[in-house]
Amino acid sequence: YMTLGVVSSPIEGFTHLKLGKTRDNKDYFVVYFSGPIRRAGGTAAAFSLLISDYLREILGDAKYDPTELEVKRAAIEVYDYHERVTNLQYLPSHQEIELLMSNVPVQVAGEPTVEREVSNYKDLERIDTNFLRGGFCLVVAEALAQKAAKLVKIITSLEKKGFEFPDWDFLSAFVKFQKETKKDD
């Protein structure tokens, strides 16, 4: 992570990584983002998840195994953020969010950015806070969901160069689902 000599903590974007525990007590990556993230940084934010997962795979850590409640919390938190804090540039459907959060091999997380609690799915063991996390919401909505097609192209290009991303195959199906859903609207 290049800081250009800056010694203060980053206030937006990727801030740090922690290890969490799967339900069968194996280590997995928890990738933290702080908000507000510049809306123009969606591709970079999504790519940082890809890099994190690539490192996870090399280091032999487990995939994140979200519970049904953690997946539902992601969807409600994005909607709460959109309705109570600021309008997102891209608001994915509940189905889109749940499909993404059920499959991303690292846990997307973030620090609380406002003093408003999520409206439902509180006190979950593997989510640090009940407060809305702006970085988390922006990464889910405006990085992963909005930039999914672009991320698929990046993955395809990297795979042609010998990199492997076995746990990201779901993303092509997600993009297809998005296109079909938009066509039906």
Side-chain angles (χ1 to χ4, degrees):
Y1 179 71
M2 298 296 293
T3 65
L4 304 175
V6 176
V7 293
S8 63
S9 298
I11 59 167
E12 63 178 45
F14 170 82
T15 56
H16 62 284
L17 184 133
K18 288 183 180 178
L19 292 178
K21 291 289 187 186
T22 63
R23 287 177 266 170
D24 59 350
N25 208 32
K26 295 179 182 170
D27 289 338
Y28 70 86
F29 279 21
V30 184
V31 185
Y32 281 80
F33 294 88
S34 292
I37 295 171
R38 278 183 49 239
R39 294 182 195 279
T43 303
F47 189 66
S48 67
L49 289 172
L50 195 63
I51 292 169
S52 298
D53 183 55
Y54 186 76
L55 293 172
R56 176 200 63 83
E57 186 76 26
I58 288 172
L59 294 171
D61 288 300
K63 282 175 52 175
Y64 172 51
D65 59 343
T67 66
E68 183 180 346
L69 294 178
E70 290 167 347
V71 170
K72 289 183 181 302
R73 159 70 184 263
I76 202 71
E77 187 166 359
V78 168
Y79 272 77
D80 283 352
Y81 185 79
H82 176 75
E83 292 166 2
R84 300 161 142 194
V85 179
T86 188
N87 287 338
L88 293 166
Q89 184 178 11
Y90 179 75
L91 181 62
S93 69
H94 278 270
Q95 286 178 302
E96 287 175 90
I97 296 167
E98 290 177 6
L99 183 57
L100 284 172
M101 293 297 94
S102 295
N103 289 288
V104 172
V106 296
Q107 183 180 6
V108 181
E111 302 295 334
T113 52
V114 294
E115 290 192 29
R116 290 179 179 234
E117 287 194 350
V118 68
S119 62
N120 205 345
Y121 305 107
K122 298 177 184 182
D123 300 322
L124 300 180
E125 186 177 334
R126 298 190 299 179
I127 298 178
D128 296 343
T129 183
N130 288 327
F131 290 101
L132 296 176
R133 304 167 293 167
F136 166 83
C137 294
L138 288 163
V139 169
V140 171
E142 296 182 357
L144 280 174
Q146 186 176 26
K147 303 296 182 179
K150 197 170 187 179
L151 194 56
V152 168
K153 289 178 185 177
I154 291 169
I155 291 169
T156 302
S157 172
L158 289 170
E159 287 176 335
K160 287 178 184 175
K161 295 175 183 173
F163 292 92
E164 294 180 11
F165 299 96
D167 297 318
W168 288 84
D169 292 342
F170 75 93
L171 205 55
S172 293
F174 174 80
V175 170
K176 185 178 178 183
F177 171 77
Q178 268 186 322
K179 288 178 183 175
E180 289 171 359
T181 303
K182 300 297 179 232
K183 192 170 44 178
D184 293 341
D185 287 345

